[in-house]
Each structure stands twice: as structure tokens, then as C-alpha cells.
């Protein structure tokens, strides 16, 4: 077979991940919005990749609280106005090179609407179909093999405390499921915005597994967590941080 591949060294590895708008609280109590596209989920945890000099990171390290807001594929016009802005008054040199500017009120700049959260101080974003209130559980410095870059980017583990989903995205007949045919996330691939195709490419074998069976991996037998259901009474267990 002929070799169909060639070797390249991309400057970035943005192969395609959902956009996340992270809301955090500044030192003066005002909200900040940080658009990112480095995030992945496993169980009720989310790992996000952030620069250590980001105002979002600074706020998270101080307060341990945020909201992970997921925009739909028709919301790019909200994000572009704040895409190259920072909530840090003194713009770090690395962001100056990339053309960032300081923006104090990103809600006003973007046209997005803050909505009070239930269990954390940072606000949710009303326009986002999915809003996950979260608590920072830990961080890991990346690039340990590069002495001059070690700690420049971090992997942050978030614990999802409460999930808000727009009602029309819920799967009929199920209390806690999202209809994947209705959910249309905004995807970033090599700095460009994309949406998902309207149809499944092929039926998934994994989809034959009842989704609730995965809850055994996400709940604890000894610690109550936000969103857990009591085994006896079916009542929701909060297990969340105080506001």
C-alpha cells in the first residue's frame, strides 16, 4: 500500500473539542468569562487545560469555584467579541503577542446574560443550553520536561456539583438523560467554529448499554455528591459546597 501520510509539526493540536465558557469570580466580586476549548469529561469530573497566567486560572485557584457553560453551535457571535480579551488588567507578554486586550465586563462586551447559580458564586450564562456548576479539586503542571515552560499550562480537575440543561434537550421518558439528536455543541477545530452533522454517522454499539448503569462509576458509597439520588427515597442529595 502506498504511503498516504506525511510528517508535520503543528503549532497547536486543536483536533476538535467543545467550546466551554468558564465563568469565575474576580477579586472584586465581578464575574469573568473565559472561553476555552481544552476540556474533557469522565464520569462527573471535567478536566480543563488552562494557561497559568489566565485570569480564569487565577480566579479558580483563589475561589475553587466556577461554572462550565456549554454554548450551542449557533452562539459563535457571542464568543467572538471576547475571544481575544483577558480579565487581567496587566496583559501578560504572551497574550500581548497574540493581540489580546483587557476587558473588565465580558458580559457587556459579549451580550451574554448572567444568571445566579445555585451552589457556587460565579454566575451561569443564561444563553448556554448546558451549565455545570463546579468545584476545583486539584491541578497538575504540564510540560515538566521543558524547564523554561514547566507550569505554563495546567490541567485542572473539576467536580461537577449541579447540571442545568435546557428543557428541550432532555430525552423523553428519562429523568436524567440528554437527547444526543437535539444537543448541538459548538466545536472548535484548529481555531475555527464548527457544529456537529445533523445525523449519526453509524449506530453505536455502546449505545446499547443502559446509561444509568454508568452511575456506579460516578457516585460514591460513602460521600454524598451533587445530583446523586438517594437509593431508598429517590430524593436528590446535595453534597455541594456552600455559596
Amino acid at each position: 500500500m502506498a504511503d498516504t501520510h506525511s510528517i508535520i509539526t503543528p503549532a497547536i493540536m486543536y483536533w476538535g473539542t467543545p467550546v466551554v465558557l468558564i465563568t469565575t469570580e474576580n477579586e472584586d466580586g465581578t464575574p469573568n468569562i473565559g472561553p476555552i476549548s481544552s476540556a474533557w469529561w469522565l464520569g462527573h469530573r471535567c478536566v480543563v487545560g488552562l494557561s497559568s497566567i489566565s485570569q480564569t486560572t487565577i480566579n479558580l485557584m483563589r475561589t475553587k469555584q466556577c461554572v462550565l457553560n456549554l454554548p450551542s453551535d449557533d452562539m459563535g457571535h457571542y464568543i467572538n467579541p471576547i475571544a481575544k480579551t483577558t480579565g487581567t488588567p496587566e496583559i501578560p507578554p504572551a497574550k500581548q503577542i497574540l493581540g489580546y486586550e483587557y476587558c473588565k465586563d465580558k458580559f457587556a462586551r459579549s451580550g451574554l446574560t448572567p444568571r445566579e447559580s445555585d451552589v457556587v458564586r460565579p454566575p451561569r450564562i443564561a444563553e448556554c443550553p448546558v451549565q455545570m456548576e463546579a468545584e476545583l479539586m486539584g491541578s497538575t503542571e504540564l510540560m515538566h520536561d521543558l524547564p523554561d515552560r514547566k507550569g505554563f499550562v495546567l490541567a485542572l480537575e473539576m467536580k461537577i456539583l449541579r447540571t442545568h440543561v435546557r428543557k428541550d434537550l432532555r430525552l423523553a421518558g428519562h429523568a436524567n438523560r440528554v437527547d444526543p439528536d437535539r444537543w448541538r455543541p459548538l466545536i472548535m477545530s484548529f481555531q475555527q467554529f464548527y457544529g456537529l452533522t445533523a445525523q449519526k454517522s453509524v449506530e453505536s454499539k455502546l449505545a446499547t448499554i443502559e446509561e444509568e448503569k454508568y452511575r456506579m462509576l460516578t457516585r460514591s458509597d460513602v460521600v454524598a455528591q451533587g445530583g446523586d439520588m438517594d437509593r431508598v427515597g429517590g430524593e436528590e442529595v446535595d453534597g455541594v459546597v456552600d455559596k
Side-chain angles (χ1 to χ4, degrees):
M1 180 181 294
D3 189 356
T4 59
H5 293 65
S6 58
I7 297 173
I8 66 171
T9 55
I12 54 174
M13 298 285 187
Y14 287 0
W15 299 108
T17 49
V19 174
V20 184
L21 301 179
I22 305 182
T23 47
T24 55
E25 184 180 73
N26 296 317
E27 284 190 356
D28 62 1
T30 59
N32 184 64
I33 305 175
I36 71 162
S37 60
S38 297
W40 61 274
W41 287 262
L42 187 62
H44 289 170
R45 302 294 167 121
C46 177
V47 177
V48 301
L50 285 169
S51 165
S52 60
I53 62 175
S54 166
Q55 186 64 32
T56 295
T57 306
I58 294 170
N59 290 343
L60 270 170
M61 291 300 190
R62 186 184 68 258
T63 68
K64 313 299 183 187
Q65 296 185 350
C66 71
V67 182
L68 306 172
N69 303 273
L70 303 186
S72 52
D73 60 5
D74 58 353
M75 290 182 59
H77 64 286
Y78 288 112
I79 301 170
N80 278 329
I82 58 172
K84 293 175 64 177
T85 64
T86 176
T88 306
E90 294 187 11
I91 305 173
K95 289 196 171 184
Q96 291 181 27
I97 293 173
L98 298 175
Y100 276 66
E101 61 176 314
Y102 170 62
C103 178
K104 175 64 175 177
D105 190 344
K106 295 187 184 180
F107 273 101
R109 173 79 67 93
S110 65
L112 294 167
T113 309
R115 176 169 293 172
E116 185 177 3
S117 296
D118 291 344
V119 297
V120 298
R121 289 186 297 274
R124 296 177 285 141
I125 296 177
E127 289 80 4
C128 288
V130 179
Q131 309 146 1
M132 292 172 283
E133 301 181 41
E135 178 184 10
L136 175 66
M137 302 305 294
S139 63
T140 301
E141 292 184 343
L142 302 184
M143 300 193 293
H144 285 265
D145 57 320
L146 304 175
D148 60 337
R149 292 293 184 270
K150 177 180 177 292
F152 182 68
V153 290
L154 306 175
L156 306 176
E157 178 190 353
M158 308 292 185
K159 177 181 178 180
I160 307 303
L161 304 175
R162 180 156 295 174
T163 303
H164 306 259
V165 178
R166 203 173 62 199
K167 292 179 180 180
D168 64 313
L169 296 182
R170 298 180 63 175
L171 185 63
H174 297 267
N176 295 295
R177 292 188 61 179
V178 172
D179 188 339
D181 288 331
R182 292 172 178 258
W183 170 224
R184 314 252 48 95
L186 182 64
I187 303 295
M188 174 158 284
S189 177
F190 290 97
Q191 302 191 90
Q192 296 290 346
F193 288 139
Y194 293 90
L196 297 179
T197 57
Q199 296 181 336
K200 292 185 283 287
S201 60
V202 66
E203 289 294 333
S204 169
K205 187 73 171 180
L206 280 177
T208 63
I209 300 174
E210 172 54 46
E211 192 169 297
E212 279 296 319
K213 291 184 177 179
Y214 288 106
R215 200 173 292 277
M216 66 179 178
L217 304 175
T218 60
R219 69 169 298 157
S220 169
D221 292 327
V222 295
V223 179
Q225 301 181 79
D228 277 352
M229 296 296 168
D230 179 78
R231 288 184 175 143
V232 178
E235 297 294 327
E236 185 174 349
V237 177
D238 274 334
V240 297
V241 296
D242 292 332
K243 291 181 71 176

